[in-house]
Amino acid sequence: MNQQHDDSDGPPQKKIPTLLTWTLGGRNIHVEGSWDNWTSKKPVEKSGKDHTILLMLSSGVHRYRFIVDGERRFIPDLPCETDNMGQVVNLVDVHDFIPESVESVSELMAPPSPDSSYGFHVPGEKEFAKEPPQLPAQLYLGVLNSRSSEEGCARPRHVVLDHLYIEKGWGSQPLVALGCTHRFRSKYVTCVLYKAIER
């Protein structure tokens, strides 16, 4: 009697969030387990194609099973055992992992970048004296400026999409061409508007 009283006066055991997932179908799904001595059935909510429930469990090994449409089931791909009644239950090992030292998790961290991968080049006077380009280099790759082959046009680059292009003076007939290319999934659509130039 005194021993039970001493246990109740101890600090409450820390609860750890534990996610249980049922992936084998069904409509009405519950879960029961040894965390409350099999006294309650908790509903498992549908999450996408699967059913999941987040439980706050104490540290240790817990036994549980799902009740799918009134039938007791277990997940064969997860750790399981047979209880005293001959029924198969799943096992979950709950523990709050805290590494003993930072070095023990060093292999999980990304390696540092080498110093040679960083650098800064100060532009000289010649670079500052150059005139800036009228257009960014990638905008010269517009559909209106490309020459199509017999097999068809090349796939436009993503940097030229949704830009309006204008070009003047094609051939002997003076005209203006406006064009814009859009993409929908893997298809590209280019709309071109031609207008003759009046002299």
Side-chain angles (χ1 to χ4, degrees):
M1 190 78 173
N2 293 335
Q3 185 177 359
Q4 293 178 352
H5 181 71
D6 294 339
D7 292 340
S8 61
D9 291 342
Q13 194 169 8
K14 181 180 179 181
K15 300 291 185 178
I16 302 169
T18 306
L19 184 67
L20 300 180
T21 304
W22 176 260
T23 61
L24 302 178
R27 291 187 177 182
N28 190 11
I29 301 174
H30 294 77
V31 66
E32 61 182 1
S34 60
W35 47 77
D36 62 355
N37 201 21
W38 309 91
T39 57
S40 65
K41 299 176 183 178
K42 300 182 183 298
V44 182
E45 300 295 331
K46 187 172 180 62
S47 176
K49 295 181 179 179
D50 303 330
H51 293 77
T52 59
I53 184 172
L54 184 65
L55 300 174
M56 300 300 292
L57 302 179
S58 58
S59 179
V61 177
H62 299 275
R63 291 155 181 82
Y64 68 98
R65 62 182 163 228
F66 291 94
I67 303 174
V68 182
D69 298 329
E71 181 183 354
R72 292 177 177 172
R73 302 275 300 275
F74 69 98
I75 301 177
D77 295 336
L78 296 180
C80 55
E81 71 173 12
T82 304
D83 62 7
N84 297 332
M85 303 295 293
Q87 295 180 347
V88 182
V89 294
N90 286 114
L91 302 175
V92 58
D93 187 6
V94 180
H95 52 79
D96 192 9
F97 174 73
I98 300 176
E100 297 179 0
S101 62
V102 178
E103 289 77 11
S104 64
V105 294
S106 60
E107 65 271 8
L108 303 177
M109 301 176 64
S113 300
D115 294 337
S116 60
S117 64
Y118 299 96
F120 179 73
H121 173 68
V122 180
E125 294 182 4
K126 292 183 179 180
E127 283 80 5
F128 285 115
K130 292 180 180 179
E131 289 292 328
Q134 294 181 355
L135 284 176
Q138 66 267 18
L139 294 185
Y140 286 102
L141 303 174
V143 177
L144 298 179
N145 295 330
S146 62
R147 298 293 179 258
S148 61
S149 63
E150 296 179 358
E151 299 178 357
C153 298
R155 176 181 294 181
R157 299 190 181 185
H158 69 279
V159 294
V160 303
L161 299 178
D162 298 320
H163 284 77
L164 182 65
Y165 291 90
I166 182 171
E167 189 165 335
K168 295 181 181 179
W170 278 0
S172 59
Q173 178 73 23
L175 54 84
V176 174
L178 296 174
C180 186
T181 301
H182 303 280
R183 185 187 73 174
F184 178 73
R185 295 184 179 175
S186 61
K187 296 184 181 291
Y188 296 85
V189 178
T190 300
C191 298
V192 182
L193 174 65
Y194 297 96
K195 181 170 177 60
I197 300 177
E198 298 180 359
R199 293 184 177 178

